[in-house]
Amino acid sequence: MAAATSMTAAEVRQSFLDFFRDKHHTIVPSSSLLPEAPNLLFTNAGMNQFVPIFLGNAPCPYDPARAADTQKCIRAGGKHNDLEDVGYDTYHQTFFEMLGNWSFGDYFKAEAIEWAWELVVGRWGFPPERLYATVYQPGEGDPAETDDEAYALWSAVFEKAGLDPAVHIVYGGKKDNFWMMGDTGPCGPCSELHVNLLPPAELDPKANRALVNADDPRLIEIWNLVFIQFNSDGQGNYPPLPARHVDTGMGFERVASIIQGTRGFTDFSTLGAISNYNTDLFRPLFDALEAKTGLTYAGTLPPAGGTPSETEKTDIAFRVIADHMRCLAFAIADGIVPGNTGRGYVLRRILRRAVRYVHGLGVHRPFLCELVEVLATQMGDAFPELREKRALIEATIEGEEKSFHQTLDRGMALFEEVIKGMSGARVFPGDEAFKLYDTYGFPLDLTQLLARERGLEVDVATFERLMAEQRQRAQDSQKKTAIVVDTAELDAGATEFVGFDGTEAEAHVRAVRDGVLIVDRTPFYAEMGGQIGDRGEATIAGRTLQIVDTQKSPEGTFLHRLENAAGDVAVESGAVALLSVSRSWRARIEAHHSGTHLLHWALRQVLGPQVTQKGSYVGPDRLRFDFSHHQAMTAEEMAEVERLVNEHIVANEQVRWNERPYAEVQRDPGIIQFFGDKYGETVRVVTIGDGYSRELCGGTHVRATGEVGYFKLLSEGAIAAGIRRVEAASGAGLVDFVRAELDVQHERYQTLQHKQAELPMLHPMGDLDNDSADLIWRDFDRRNAQLTELDAKVRELEKRQAKEMAAAMRSQAAEEAAQLLPEVRNIGGVPLLTKAYPNRSPQFVQALAEALKAQFQGVGVFAVSDAKKAVLVAIVGKEFQSRLKAGDIIKQIAPLVGGKGGGKPDQAQGGGGNPAGVPEALAQVESLLE
């Protein structure tokens, strides 16, 4: 173990982990900055990954039940936001590490306090006389009682060190010394360690204790020990938990700054030396900044409320750039990319804030991306993702920098122009702040930063009003025609959706109002999650009504818009309606929706796991998919995505779904879910194949990937910085696209022919114009040839796919036939085989029958069924056809499944709409042989 005087930050981190490894803790890796909890923007504390254990939703995986780690954290946006203070003091950062040790129902206060003292004083050498411990003491209305147990334990520690507990233990109320996970749930008192950093001449432990919990940088907290022992019911009651836990968090950068800033506790003479930024965590970045700018970091701080000097401005810029670079690099490495909403927007604000400070140092080009190598070299051992994702981080930051640099100069010019026209006013106009945001991409906090440097405030109220108006305009412009119906007196309630299992259903009419049909249950999917609403028809009392769109009200009522129906339709409430979704419409949509899941998976395989969905459209004609990515896809990348998707389509893998508790799904990192979205207690998980694709999704899907059809990307482009959009089509939708494009090309060709005939008359230089027209025609012919080739390729691939799927089905049927033969039973002297196959295709039993005919000469009857129909297939060997023919068997048993059928003596087929009758139909075969 290195002496404290020579400890690097890396040695501090490793020393902490080694100490708790010796105490039999499992050392766990830092969780991602992308939190599992949807209510968090970023992982902001070490305990985030252990919440399911504390709540009892997951068992503790460690033996003994204790762990330690260093956790990457970001506090910028949301409840914990340190962004505005970065650069102006010694300790605020957007990105930091939190060292922690944890006990899950194992050890408790005695061990936690004893080991904290042993590490800080015994191993690291913190001077005991400079330490204070805080203990919970409730004020009026605060929960629980004074933590006498912790006080007694700390008293023994300080007395053993020859110190007065009454001086070195300080009580704190709920704000500082009681931790709660939320209004309800696990909670408990906490006990903090604070360090006195005053110079020797001012060191007076008794007098200095007044600075504890006073937000004074001369006496700061370094470690918080949380004792989780109660369970708040939200009504002011705090009964004890069945198991008690320990949750601690230590500021890594803060500890390193104290050790290094005091030269291993040998020099407390200069408080300014004790700064998170005066450590080897930031020095490599400062060295790079100095080398690239020719400026020097002096470590100065601006006066409180005053105007910084030029040196202080440079030092602020160095601190901001270094901190923001760490935040950006670690976030991007964990798959969080700059964007226009949520955590992506927070990251973009951080990046643009850093670019502004780079700009202030006189650098007017992409610059931050050049610092990624320094950070990856410095911290890549502890966090390998920085090295593994270095190219991605550099490219993402460079792209954002280029985009913002193009407008920064013009925005700064506008800002200066407004300042000149303010005539001494001290409030920057809110409408001008909005213009900077709307026109030049300046986040409000960047304008506030510029104003702050001039001693000005920004009219935030006006800015927010203009932002709200713009959001409303954007929403209005994007709205499709909403289905509106006055349902106030109907008390319609939520509609039961039964469309996952079929496209037809009987329902009871609640009302037909304002051209909208409302029923109690429906197979029609209402537009949601990118999938557009279903179309089809409803038959009521012999009258067929066409449904042209389906939407859902906020109350969950499905609204079926009727074609050319105005006002009320005379239909009695409670009447029975037969609802039928257009099967071709649904089949196309399901193909594109399942194709979207395959596309999402393939994009992550080709471009990297940082790709996340940002929006989608699923219709009968095509699919659209928006996703996070920092640059345009190459032709090779697009080809590889297509290849992967089509490979899984040809494999004809099963697509299945099941309902699962969301609390359980949250703990499964293999399921793609969209953090920030709101989910109910139960969610629907769609799984493809062996589970390589698993997503939360409430839409409708194919049963097997082969139903998607040949898949083709149609376009790729940017829709915002860091957000790309691809459009694609498959199967019938792709064929329609190709035919439509060919029609467009043909019309263009005819137009060009007419123009060519007119060119010599319109222009004297006819030869030149003809040459120009020839160039256009050649371009047309080239595109026409490409489309014709694509059309042929689609048809050829679909034929090949159909053959491969048929061959695969024949192979499966042959295997099943071999397994069936031992099940032959003798009925009336005739070998008989019967079996039902739920959720298999009619083609499968036909292939099974063909496979058996070569090996089995008796009677075989097989059924396949789903929720709405059943299909029966019968075979009879030649020597038994004089006694019973296959066609006669089907005619006898098909009525039992609600239908009819027939065929040849050796093979026949039938079916009907009553799948529940399959067992009786198969049993009837035996009576025909007796």
Side-chain angles (χ1 to χ4, degrees), residues 260 277-292 318 322 326 371 373-379:
Q260 295 181 15
Y277 295 94
N278 291 347
T279 65
D280 58 349
L281 286 166
F282 289 90
R283 191 65 247 181
L285 289 169
F286 288 169
D287 289 343
L289 284 168
E290 290 178 343
K292 292 174 183 294
F318 269 55
R326 284 160 42 101
L371 301 176
E373 179 182 6
V374 177
L375 190 62
T377 300
Q378 176 198 1
M379 301 190 72

PDB file of all heavy atoms in Angstrom, residues 260 277-292 318 322 326 371 373-379:
ATOM      1  N   GLN A 260      -4.099  14.823  -1.805  1.00  0.00           N
ATOM      2  CA  GLN A 260      -3.074  15.423  -2.661  1.00  0.00           C
ATOM      3  C   GLN A 260      -2.870  16.907  -2.344  1.00  0.00           C
ATOM      4  O   GLN A 260      -1.740  17.416  -2.389  1.00  0.00           O
ATOM      5  CB  GLN A 260      -3.445  15.234  -4.132  1.00  0.00           C
ATOM      6  CG  GLN A 260      -3.444  13.780  -4.564  1.00  0.00           C
ATOM      7  CD  GLN A 260      -3.793  13.581  -6.034  1.00  0.00           C
ATOM      8  OE1 GLN A 260      -3.775  14.524  -6.820  1.00  0.00           O
ATOM      9  NE2 GLN A 260      -4.122  12.354  -6.396  1.00  0.00           N
ATOM     10  N   TYR A 277     -10.031  19.998  -8.688  1.00  0.00           N
ATOM     11  CA  TYR A 277      -9.369  20.266  -9.961  1.00  0.00           C
ATOM     12  C   TYR A 277      -7.849  20.327  -9.827  1.00  0.00           C
ATOM     13  O   TYR A 277      -7.143  20.339 -10.833  1.00  0.00           O
ATOM     14  CB  TYR A 277      -9.904  21.577 -10.549  1.00  0.00           C
ATOM     15  CG  TYR A 277     -11.368  21.496 -10.901  1.00  0.00           C
ATOM     16  CD1 TYR A 277     -12.352  21.908 -10.000  1.00  0.00           C
ATOM     17  CD2 TYR A 277     -11.780  20.974 -12.124  1.00  0.00           C
ATOM     18  CE1 TYR A 277     -13.696  21.815 -10.316  1.00  0.00           C
ATOM     19  CE2 TYR A 277     -13.134  20.877 -12.447  1.00  0.00           C
ATOM     20  CZ  TYR A 277     -14.087  21.296 -11.534  1.00  0.00           C
ATOM     21  OH  TYR A 277     -15.417  21.194 -11.844  1.00  0.00           O
ATOM     22  N   ASN A 278      -7.324  20.355  -8.577  1.00  0.00           N
ATOM     23  CA  ASN A 278      -5.881  20.344  -8.360  1.00  0.00           C
ATOM     24  C   ASN A 278      -5.394  18.933  -8.072  1.00  0.00           C
ATOM     25  O   ASN A 278      -4.579  18.700  -7.188  1.00  0.00           O
ATOM     26  CB  ASN A 278      -5.502  21.274  -7.195  1.00  0.00           C
ATOM     27  CG  ASN A 278      -5.719  22.734  -7.534  1.00  0.00           C
ATOM     28  OD1 ASN A 278      -5.916  23.078  -8.686  1.00  0.00           O
ATOM     29  ND2 ASN A 278      -5.673  23.595  -6.526  1.00  0.00           N
ATOM     30  N   THR A 279      -5.940  17.970  -8.801  1.00  0.00           N
ATOM     31  CA  THR A 279      -5.552  16.571  -8.632  1.00  0.00           C
ATOM     32  C   THR A 279      -5.113  15.996  -9.972  1.00  0.00           C
ATOM     33  O   THR A 279      -5.315  16.602 -11.028  1.00  0.00           O
ATOM     34  CB  THR A 279      -6.743  15.739  -8.103  1.00  0.00           C
ATOM     35  OG1 THR A 279      -7.771  15.731  -9.107  1.00  0.00           O
ATOM     36  CG2 THR A 279      -7.299  16.315  -6.812  1.00  0.00           C
ATOM     37  N   ASP A 280      -4.556  14.794  -9.907  1.00  0.00           N
ATOM     38  CA  ASP A 280      -4.117  14.151 -11.145  1.00  0.00           C
ATOM     39  C   ASP A 280      -5.286  13.623 -11.958  1.00  0.00           C
ATOM     40  O   ASP A 280      -5.097  13.094 -13.053  1.00  0.00           O
ATOM     41  CB  ASP A 280      -3.115  13.026 -10.850  1.00  0.00           C
ATOM     42  CG  ASP A 280      -3.676  11.953  -9.929  1.00  0.00           C
ATOM     43  OD1 ASP A 280      -4.766  12.162  -9.347  1.00  0.00           O
ATOM     44  OD2 ASP A 280      -3.017  10.913  -9.768  1.00  0.00           O
ATOM     45  N   LEU A 281      -6.517  13.779 -11.460  1.00  0.00           N
ATOM     46  CA  LEU A 281      -7.690  13.445 -12.259  1.00  0.00           C
ATOM     47  C   LEU A 281      -7.923  14.473 -13.356  1.00  0.00           C
ATOM     48  O   LEU A 281      -8.465  14.156 -14.421  1.00  0.00           O
ATOM     49  CB  LEU A 281      -8.932  13.365 -11.359  1.00  0.00           C
ATOM     50  CG  LEU A 281      -9.027  12.129 -10.460  1.00  0.00           C
ATOM     51  CD1 LEU A 281     -10.090  12.330  -9.399  1.00  0.00           C
ATOM     52  CD2 LEU A 281      -9.312  10.887 -11.281  1.00  0.00           C
ATOM     53  N   PHE A 282      -7.541  15.708 -13.108  1.00  0.00           N
ATOM     54  CA  PHE A 282      -7.768  16.790 -14.067  1.00  0.00           C
ATOM     55  C   PHE A 282      -6.480  17.298 -14.702  1.00  0.00           C
ATOM     56  O   PHE A 282      -6.531  17.921 -15.766  1.00  0.00           O
ATOM     57  CB  PHE A 282      -8.488  17.952 -13.378  1.00  0.00           C
ATOM     58  CG  PHE A 282      -9.917  17.655 -13.047  1.00  0.00           C
ATOM     59  CD1 PHE A 282     -10.271  17.094 -11.830  1.00  0.00           C
ATOM     60  CD2 PHE A 282     -10.932  17.906 -13.964  1.00  0.00           C
ATOM     61  CE1 PHE A 282     -11.584  16.799 -11.541  1.00  0.00           C
ATOM     62  CE2 PHE A 282     -12.253  17.615 -13.685  1.00  0.00           C
ATOM     63  CZ  PHE A 282     -12.579  17.061 -12.467  1.00  0.00           C
ATOM     64  N   ARG A 283      -5.342  17.036 -14.071  1.00  0.00           N
ATOM     65  CA  ARG A 283      -4.092  17.603 -14.578  1.00  0.00           C
ATOM     66  C   ARG A 283      -3.778  17.184 -16.015  1.00  0.00           C
ATOM     67  O   ARG A 283      -3.353  18.028 -16.833  1.00  0.00           O
ATOM     68  CB  ARG A 283      -2.945  17.208 -13.646  1.00  0.00           C
ATOM     69  CG  ARG A 283      -1.628  17.939 -13.896  1.00  0.00           C
ATOM     70  CD  ARG A 283      -1.770  19.423 -13.604  1.00  0.00           C
ATOM     71  NE  ARG A 283      -1.656  20.224 -14.820  1.00  0.00           N
ATOM     72  CZ  ARG A 283      -1.725  21.549 -14.831  1.00  0.00           C
ATOM     73  NH1 ARG A 283      -1.916  22.227 -13.715  1.00  0.00           N
ATOM     74  NH2 ARG A 283      -1.628  22.206 -15.958  1.00  0.00           N
ATOM     75  N   PRO A 284      -3.984  15.925 -16.409  1.00  0.00           N
ATOM     76  CA  PRO A 284      -3.706  15.573 -17.819  1.00  0.00           C
ATOM     77  C   PRO A 284      -4.545  16.372 -18.809  1.00  0.00           C
ATOM     78  O   PRO A 284      -4.058  16.754 -19.876  1.00  0.00           O
ATOM     79  CB  PRO A 284      -4.037  14.080 -17.866  1.00  0.00           C
ATOM     80  CG  PRO A 284      -3.845  13.596 -16.470  1.00  0.00           C
ATOM     81  CD  PRO A 284      -4.298  14.740 -15.601  1.00  0.00           C
ATOM     82  N   LEU A 285      -5.814  16.617 -18.473  1.00  0.00           N
ATOM     83  CA  LEU A 285      -6.665  17.415 -19.360  1.00  0.00           C
ATOM     84  C   LEU A 285      -6.191  18.863 -19.392  1.00  0.00           C
ATOM     85  O   LEU A 285      -6.176  19.509 -20.448  1.00  0.00           O
ATOM     86  CB  LEU A 285      -8.118  17.341 -18.906  1.00  0.00           C
ATOM     87  CG  LEU A 285      -8.810  15.997 -19.122  1.00  0.00           C
ATOM     88  CD1 LEU A 285     -10.141  15.940 -18.391  1.00  0.00           C
ATOM     89  CD2 LEU A 285      -9.021  15.727 -20.611  1.00  0.00           C
ATOM     90  N   PHE A 286      -5.789  19.408 -18.235  1.00  0.00           N
ATOM     91  CA  PHE A 286      -5.274  20.778 -18.200  1.00  0.00           C
ATOM     92  C   PHE A 286      -3.980  20.894 -19.012  1.00  0.00           C
ATOM     93  O   PHE A 286      -3.762  21.884 -19.713  1.00  0.00           O
ATOM     94  CB  PHE A 286      -5.022  21.214 -16.756  1.00  0.00           C
ATOM     95  CG  PHE A 286      -6.283  21.457 -15.957  1.00  0.00           C
ATOM     96  CD1 PHE A 286      -6.228  21.629 -14.582  1.00  0.00           C
ATOM     97  CD2 PHE A 286      -7.526  21.513 -16.567  1.00  0.00           C
ATOM     98  CE1 PHE A 286      -7.373  21.859 -13.845  1.00  0.00           C
ATOM     99  CE2 PHE A 286      -8.692  21.733 -15.834  1.00  0.00           C
ATOM    100  CZ  PHE A 286      -8.608  21.901 -14.472  1.00  0.00           C
ATOM    101  N   ASP A 287      -3.116  19.861 -18.899  1.00  0.00           N
ATOM    102  CA  ASP A 287      -1.871  19.887 -19.681  1.00  0.00           C
ATOM    103  C   ASP A 287      -2.173  19.948 -21.170  1.00  0.00           C
ATOM    104  O   ASP A 287      -1.526  20.687 -21.927  1.00  0.00           O
ATOM    105  CB  ASP A 287      -1.027  18.644 -19.369  1.00  0.00           C
ATOM    106  CG  ASP A 287      -0.410  18.689 -17.974  1.00  0.00           C
ATOM    107  OD1 ASP A 287      -0.362  19.784 -17.385  1.00  0.00           O
ATOM    108  OD2 ASP A 287      -0.002  17.619 -17.477  1.00  0.00           O
ATOM    109  N   ALA A 288      -3.158  19.149 -21.602  1.00  0.00           N
ATOM    110  CA  ALA A 288      -3.531  19.145 -23.020  1.00  0.00           C
ATOM    111  C   ALA A 288      -4.116  20.492 -23.425  1.00  0.00           C
ATOM    112  O   ALA A 288      -3.820  21.015 -24.511  1.00  0.00           O
ATOM    113  CB  ALA A 288      -4.523  18.023 -23.293  1.00  0.00           C
ATOM    114  N   LEU A 289      -4.935  21.087 -22.562  1.00  0.00           N
ATOM    115  CA  LEU A 289      -5.514  22.394 -22.859  1.00  0.00           C
ATOM    116  C   LEU A 289      -4.431  23.458 -22.963  1.00  0.00           C
ATOM    117  O   LEU A 289      -4.467  24.327 -23.845  1.00  0.00           O
ATOM    118  CB  LEU A 289      -6.534  22.778 -21.782  1.00  0.00           C
ATOM    119  CG  LEU A 289      -7.897  22.078 -21.861  1.00  0.00           C
ATOM    120  CD1 LEU A 289      -8.701  22.318 -20.591  1.00  0.00           C
ATOM    121  CD2 LEU A 289      -8.675  22.557 -23.071  1.00  0.00           C
ATOM    122  N   GLU A 290      -3.474  23.411 -22.067  1.00  0.00           N
ATOM    123  CA  GLU A 290      -2.385  24.384 -22.113  1.00  0.00           C
ATOM    124  C   GLU A 290      -1.568  24.240 -23.392  1.00  0.00           C
ATOM    125  O   GLU A 290      -1.218  25.241 -24.046  1.00  0.00           O
ATOM    126  CB  GLU A 290      -1.471  24.217 -20.883  1.00  0.00           C
ATOM    127  CG  GLU A 290      -2.122  24.658 -19.580  1.00  0.00           C
ATOM    128  CD  GLU A 290      -1.247  24.440 -18.364  1.00  0.00           C
ATOM    129  OE1 GLU A 290      -0.270  23.658 -18.474  1.00  0.00           O
ATOM    130  OE2 GLU A 290      -1.534  25.017 -17.308  1.00  0.00           O
ATOM    131  N   ALA A 291      -1.289  22.996 -23.770  1.00  0.00           N
ATOM    132  CA  ALA A 291      -0.491  22.761 -24.975  1.00  0.00           C
ATOM    133  C   ALA A 291      -1.215  23.208 -26.234  1.00  0.00           C
ATOM    134  O   ALA A 291      -0.610  23.719 -27.173  1.00  0.00           O
ATOM    135  CB  ALA A 291      -0.127  21.276 -25.071  1.00  0.00           C
ATOM    136  N   LYS A 292      -2.536  23.047 -26.254  1.00  0.00           N
ATOM    137  CA  LYS A 292      -3.303  23.350 -27.465  1.00  0.00           C
ATOM    138  C   LYS A 292      -3.707  24.821 -27.569  1.00  0.00           C
ATOM    139  O   LYS A 292      -3.986  25.316 -28.652  1.00  0.00           O
ATOM    140  CB  LYS A 292      -4.554  22.467 -27.531  1.00  0.00           C
ATOM    141  CG  LYS A 292      -4.257  20.988 -27.741  1.00  0.00           C
ATOM    142  CD  LYS A 292      -5.526  20.147 -27.656  1.00  0.00           C
ATOM    143  CE  LYS A 292      -5.222  18.655 -27.799  1.00  0.00           C
ATOM    144  NZ  LYS A 292      -4.712  18.319 -29.137  1.00  0.00           N
ATOM    145  N   PHE A 318     -11.106  26.385 -18.148  1.00  0.00           N
ATOM    146  CA  PHE A 318     -10.374  25.124 -18.036  1.00  0.00           C
ATOM    147  C   PHE A 318     -11.178  24.124 -17.201  1.00  0.00           C
ATOM    148  O   PHE A 318     -11.288  22.942 -17.558  1.00  0.00           O
ATOM    149  CB  PHE A 318      -9.004  25.369 -17.395  1.00  0.00           C
ATOM    150  CG  PHE A 318      -7.905  25.654 -18.378  1.00  0.00           C
ATOM    151  CD1 PHE A 318      -8.026  26.686 -19.305  1.00  0.00           C
ATOM    152  CD2 PHE A 318      -6.741  24.904 -18.383  1.00  0.00           C
ATOM    153  CE1 PHE A 318      -7.014  26.957 -20.214  1.00  0.00           C
ATOM    154  CE2 PHE A 318      -5.717  25.166 -19.285  1.00  0.00           C
ATOM    155  CZ  PHE A 318      -5.854  26.190 -20.201  1.00  0.00           C
ATOM    156  N   ALA A 322     -12.814  20.681 -18.809  1.00  0.00           N
ATOM    157  CA  ALA A 322     -12.339  19.390 -18.303  1.00  0.00           C
ATOM    158  C   ALA A 322     -13.484  18.582 -17.706  1.00  0.00           C
ATOM    159  O   ALA A 322     -13.633  17.384 -17.981  1.00  0.00           O
ATOM    160  CB  ALA A 322     -11.230  19.610 -17.279  1.00  0.00           C
ATOM    161  N   ARG A 326     -15.270  15.014 -19.335  1.00  0.00           N
ATOM    162  CA  ARG A 326     -15.428  13.754 -18.606  1.00  0.00           C
ATOM    163  C   ARG A 326     -16.881  13.289 -18.663  1.00  0.00           C
ATOM    164  O   ARG A 326     -17.171  12.117 -18.924  1.00  0.00           O
ATOM    165  CB  ARG A 326     -14.985  13.937 -17.148  1.00  0.00           C
ATOM    166  CG  ARG A 326     -13.479  13.983 -16.957  1.00  0.00           C
ATOM    167  CD  ARG A 326     -13.041  14.629 -15.637  1.00  0.00           C
ATOM    168  NE  ARG A 326     -13.804  14.255 -14.478  1.00  0.00           N
ATOM    169  CZ  ARG A 326     -13.427  13.355 -13.540  1.00  0.00           C
ATOM    170  NH1 ARG A 326     -12.284  12.710 -13.700  1.00  0.00           N
ATOM    171  NH2 ARG A 326     -14.167  13.118 -12.491  1.00  0.00           N
ATOM    172  N   LEU A 371      -9.613  15.870 -27.057  1.00  0.00           N
ATOM    173  CA  LEU A 371      -9.269  15.554 -25.663  1.00  0.00           C
ATOM    174  C   LEU A 371      -9.682  14.140 -25.258  1.00  0.00           C
ATOM    175  O   LEU A 371      -9.330  13.681 -24.181  1.00  0.00           O
ATOM    176  CB  LEU A 371      -9.940  16.564 -24.731  1.00  0.00           C
ATOM    177  CG  LEU A 371      -9.579  18.042 -24.944  1.00  0.00           C
ATOM    178  CD1 LEU A 371     -10.391  18.922 -24.003  1.00  0.00           C
ATOM    179  CD2 LEU A 371      -8.087  18.275 -24.739  1.00  0.00           C
ATOM    180  N   GLU A 373      -8.765  11.257 -26.422  1.00  0.00           N
ATOM    181  CA  GLU A 373      -7.599  10.359 -26.304  1.00  0.00           C
ATOM    182  C   GLU A 373      -6.928  10.510 -24.946  1.00  0.00           C
ATOM    183  O   GLU A 373      -6.516   9.520 -24.327  1.00  0.00           O
ATOM    184  CB  GLU A 373      -6.592  10.662 -27.417  1.00  0.00           C
ATOM    185  CG  GLU A 373      -5.352   9.788 -27.361  1.00  0.00           C
ATOM    186  CD  GLU A 373      -4.328  10.124 -28.433  1.00  0.00           C
ATOM    187  OE1 GLU A 373      -4.546  11.121 -29.156  1.00  0.00           O
ATOM    188  OE2 GLU A 373      -3.318   9.397 -28.531  1.00  0.00           O
ATOM    189  N   VAL A 374      -6.816  11.750 -24.475  1.00  0.00           N
ATOM    190  CA  VAL A 374      -6.184  12.001 -23.177  1.00  0.00           C
ATOM    191  C   VAL A 374      -6.960  11.301 -22.071  1.00  0.00           C
ATOM    192  O   VAL A 374      -6.388  10.614 -21.219  1.00  0.00           O
ATOM    193  CB  VAL A 374      -6.120  13.523 -22.893  1.00  0.00           C
ATOM    194  CG1 VAL A 374      -5.526  13.796 -21.514  1.00  0.00           C
ATOM    195  CG2 VAL A 374      -5.314  14.230 -23.975  1.00  0.00           C
ATOM    196  N   LEU A 375      -8.275  11.448 -22.086  1.00  0.00           N
ATOM    197  CA  LEU A 375      -9.112  10.847 -21.050  1.00  0.00           C
ATOM    198  C   LEU A 375      -9.099   9.325 -21.139  1.00  0.00           C
ATOM    199  O   LEU A 375      -9.038   8.635 -20.117  1.00  0.00           O
ATOM    200  CB  LEU A 375     -10.536  11.378 -21.182  1.00  0.00           C
ATOM    201  CG  LEU A 375     -11.496  11.047 -20.044  1.00  0.00           C
ATOM    202  CD1 LEU A 375     -11.008  11.658 -18.737  1.00  0.00           C
ATOM    203  CD2 LEU A 375     -12.899  11.546 -20.362  1.00  0.00           C
ATOM    204  N   ALA A 376      -9.153   8.788 -22.353  1.00  0.00           N
ATOM    205  CA  ALA A 376      -9.141   7.332 -22.519  1.00  0.00           C
ATOM    206  C   ALA A 376      -7.829   6.733 -22.020  1.00  0.00           C
ATOM    207  O   ALA A 376      -7.810   5.656 -21.410  1.00  0.00           O
ATOM    208  CB  ALA A 376      -9.365   6.975 -23.983  1.00  0.00           C
ATOM    209  N   THR A 377      -6.728   7.423 -22.263  1.00  0.00           N
ATOM    210  CA  THR A 377      -5.423   6.955 -21.785  1.00  0.00           C
ATOM    211  C   THR A 377      -5.360   7.013 -20.272  1.00  0.00           C
ATOM    212  O   THR A 377      -4.863   6.087 -19.612  1.00  0.00           O
ATOM    213  CB  THR A 377      -4.301   7.811 -22.390  1.00  0.00           C
ATOM    214  OG1 THR A 377      -4.356   7.706 -23.815  1.00  0.00           O
ATOM    215  CG2 THR A 377      -2.943   7.361 -21.884  1.00  0.00           C
ATOM    216  N   GLN A 378      -5.872   8.098 -19.697  1.00  0.00           N
ATOM    217  CA  GLN A 378      -5.781   8.318 -18.265  1.00  0.00           C
ATOM    218  C   GLN A 378      -6.653   7.363 -17.460  1.00  0.00           C
ATOM    219  O   GLN A 378      -6.231   6.831 -16.441  1.00  0.00           O
ATOM    220  CB  GLN A 378      -6.172   9.765 -17.952  1.00  0.00           C
ATOM    221  CG  GLN A 378      -6.218  10.092 -16.465  1.00  0.00           C
ATOM    222  CD  GLN A 378      -7.005  11.356 -16.174  1.00  0.00           C
ATOM    223  OE1 GLN A 378      -7.535  11.981 -17.082  1.00  0.00           O
ATOM    224  NE2 GLN A 378      -7.084  11.723 -14.903  1.00  0.00           N
ATOM    225  N   MET A 379      -7.888   7.110 -17.905  1.00  0.00           N
ATOM    226  CA  MET A 379      -8.856   6.382 -17.091  1.00  0.00           C
ATOM    227  C   MET A 379      -9.303   5.064 -17.708  1.00  0.00           C
ATOM    228  O   MET A 379     -10.212   4.413 -17.197  1.00  0.00           O
ATOM    229  CB  MET A 379     -10.074   7.267 -16.819  1.00  0.00           C
ATOM    230  CG  MET A 379      -9.724   8.569 -16.106  1.00  0.00           C
ATOM    231  SD  MET A 379     -11.164   9.498 -15.521  1.00  0.00           S
ATOM    232  CE  MET A 379     -11.714   8.485 -14.150  1.00  0.00           C
TER     233      MET A 379
END
